[in-house]
Amino acid sequence: MENFVLKGQICYSVSPTEIKTIENGYIVCVDGKSRGVFEKLPSNYQNLTIKDFGDHLIIPGLTDAHVHAPQFEFRTLGMDLELLDWLNTHTFPTESKYADVEYANQAYQQFVKELVTTPNTRAIIFGTLHVPATITLMNQLEASGHVTLVGKVNMDRNGFETLEEENAGNSILKTVEWLESIQGKYQRTMPIITPRFIPCCTDELTKRLGKLACKYKLPVQSHLSENLSEVAWVKELAPESKFYGDAYDRLGLFGDDIQTIMAHCVWSSEEEIALMKDRNVFVAHCPSSNTHLSSGIAPIRKFMNNGLNIALGSDIAGGTHTSILRAMADAIQVSKLYWRYIDQNDKPLTIEEAFYLGTIGGGSFFGKVGSFSEGYEFDAVVLGSDENILPQRPELTLLERLTRCIYLGDNQNVAAKFVRGQQIV
């Protein structure tokens, strides 16, 4: 593994309220980890190769905490529908096609090709319920150099004619087959247990997935309190549960000994928020998707005030943009609407907070990831000249330049990417 130094205009979070900026600074990478950021390069590192990116901004790699790889192909479609109708009209018919491995191979090539262009270096990904297609996706992601968690989806009820597993036993059997076939196969691509959500998983399946997660020591991802119709449906399916999160919790699939991330949480009650905090459940906030599918606005300030772990997700294809820079801007914008129209005690997110959520917020699900502070895994993105976005104004501070990239940047603005100390772009 190469040890080296990056030089450039450096921006990184040190806390939810502070972005550290260093002009013409140095970041030292040794054995795939950051040894710190310096205004002047210490003498003991001066023998390392210096990769000088001049006036370009250098930021930590971003984490997409919730994305559906098979849905990439129908981004922008069905945006006039709400969640449940959208699933039946677009999602389930499309995902059914991934039973064909060759179809999956070609479709996933497009998804991975797009991922390479983004400022995202890590992602937590839903596949489909098909084992061969999920392995195909994992093979392609491994070759791309990104670090990812990938889930074979589980669903044994309320699916689609061609997208539903026979029963809980069959679903578990396929999941074990998948886990055993990939064991020891990858360095950067890891499995994650993935029940689609309570409406698509029987109690037996959900409970057995929890036991499987414990047995294989794997994390879990799913959906929680995204849409009002969905929440009401869960109440019908699990009448003994106090709220949606409690339905997962009663079946042993809600944090605690199992590292868990739940997407959306738009309609989480005070009780649900308290349980998420108690169980150390991560929230994947997906502002674009929640807007497009008319789901609502997640109470992010309330989550932050309660000390929850929060990350940002693109939620392709409910969301339409893959870059987590865009998710940062969207998160700020919807938080302003929440503050103005729902609760004026919940102040909007700041640029510092949104940047933190997209870097350390999501990165921390993978460990010490998302910052250039000493000891963090070395994920870095070099943003191309912001001349590509707007003519340069030399009086802008680095924070102002970063802010402009967040609001106006796109995937074409990525000049280089490093993941765990290896340059992949």
Side-chain angles (χ1 to χ4, degrees), residues 12 27 99 118 134 167 239-240:
Y12 65 103
I27 317 166
T118 70
T134 303
N167 51 47
E240 74 287 350

Side-chain angles (χ1 to χ4, degrees), residues 141-341:
L141 288 165
E142 179 72 12
S144 77
H146 296 77
V147 175
T148 58
L149 286 160
V150 179
K152 173 222 162 295
V153 172
N154 296 90
M155 46 191 296
D156 67 339
R157 68 176 175 185
N158 297 320
F160 195 64
E161 183 180 352
T162 52
L163 193 77
E164 184 178 299
E165 292 164 309
E166 189 178 331
N167 51 47
N170 176 261
S171 182
I172 293 295
L173 193 65
K174 288 180 180 178
T175 305
V176 172
E177 172 195 332
W178 166 59
L179 293 174
E180 293 295 333
S181 67
I182 63 172
Q183 211 161 36
K185 188 176 179 181
Y186 308 111
Q187 292 182 317
R188 295 174 291 273
T189 314
M190 300 155 287
I192 181 169
I193 296 298
T194 305
R196 179 159 229 125
F197 62 163
I198 287 290
C200 281
C201 297
T202 60
D203 287 0
E204 181 186 354
L205 176 56
T206 306
K207 186 180 295 185
R208 291 178 69 175
L209 286 173
K211 292 178 179 177
L212 210 59
C214 289
K215 177 181 177 180
Y216 285 88
K217 295 181 171 55
L218 294 177
V220 170
Q221 64 175 342
S222 196
H223 300 85
L224 178 67
S225 300
E226 178 178 359
N227 168 280
L228 285 174
S229 297
E230 171 210 18
V231 172
W233 194 12
V234 170
K235 188 61 181 173
E236 291 177 14
L237 293 168
E240 74 287 350
S241 298
K242 299 174 186 174
F243 45 85
Y244 197 158
D246 187 48
Y248 285 111
D249 192 52
R250 286 169 179 262
L251 299 168
L253 205 67
F254 203 66
D256 216 358
D257 294 332
I258 302 172
Q259 187 184 21
T260 302
I261 186 163
M262 290 284 171
H264 305 299
C265 308
V266 173
W267 298 101
S268 293
S269 64
E270 296 287 352
E271 284 182 295
E272 189 162 272
I273 293 170
L275 186 63
M276 284 191 283
K277 169 64 176 175
D278 184 61
R279 299 288 191 269
N280 201 32
V281 171
F282 276 67
V283 174
H285 177 39
C286 306
S288 174
S289 172
N290 297 157
T291 301
H292 289 313
L293 299 179
S294 303
S295 296
I297 306 172
I300 295 303
R301 176 63 61 195
K302 188 175 293 183
F303 293 160
M304 294 182 76
N305 290 343
N306 279 275
L308 267 61
N309 296 306
I310 310 164
L312 296 178
S314 67
D315 194 26
I316 300 297
T320 52
H321 291 79
T322 51
S323 171
I324 293 302
L325 289 175
R326 175 60 183 262
M328 293 177 195
D330 289 341
I332 294 170
Q333 290 168 21
V334 300
S335 75
K336 292 176 180 177
L337 295 175
Y338 192 94
W339 167 70
R340 177 59 67 195
Y341 294 111

Side-chain angles (χ1 to χ4, degrees), residues 2 66 87 90 98 105-106 164 184 200 213 247 277 315 392:
E2 182 187 8
H66 184 69
L87 288 173
H90 292 281
Y98 287 72
N105 182 56
Q106 293 181 20
E164 184 178 299
C200 281
K277 169 64 176 175
D315 194 26
Q392 179 71 317

